[in-house]
Amino acid sequence: DGDLKFSLESVKKLKELMDENRHINPRMAVSTASYSPCDEKDLPEEFQSVCKREDASMIFERLNLAVQDGDLCEICANAACAGCF
């Protein structure tokens, strides 16, 4: 994401955490606007620097979107990969 680089495995873990939060009963869930993966104890260590940024929620959402398509090969899920589509 921009100048930031993260391992694919960490981004997949981030997606799992964010997806888990979305599948909670809507009456009991915190709104996604106020949800932050930074509050998760299982958040990979390499995202801790992102949590200190004001644009953290946008970065996390873009990373989550980058791995949404389950049909992407792991090479093509890398945002630096060109010509995959």
Side-chain angles (χ1 to χ4, degrees):
D1 188 73
D3 293 337
L4 303 171
K5 296 183 186 330
F6 306 102
S7 70
L8 181 58
E9 290 305 313
S10 291
V11 176
K12 286 180 179 180
K13 180 64 179 176
L14 173 67
K15 180 186 181 310
E16 287 175 23
L17 293 171
M18 293 179 80
D19 285 351
E20 285 174 10
N21 183 54
R22 289 189 177 122
H23 295 302
I24 298 172
N25 182 329
R27 291 182 289 171
M28 300 183 70
V30 176
S31 76
T32 54
S34 63
Y35 168 74
S36 173
C38 297
D39 299 332
E40 299 286 347
K41 64 179 170 97
D42 295 332
L43 183 70
E45 182 68 30
E46 66 183 298
F47 292 121
Q48 295 306 317
S49 62
V50 175
C51 291
K52 297 174 185 170
R53 296 173 54 125
E54 288 183 24
D55 59 346
S57 62
M58 291 187 303
I59 292 170
F60 287 133
E61 196 58 40
R62 284 192 300 264
L63 290 172
N64 189 28
L65 289 172
V67 291
Q68 283 298 318
D69 188 350
D71 294 333
L72 287 176
C73 67
E74 290 195 0
I75 294 171
C76 293
N78 184 341
C81 180
C84 295
F85 298 104

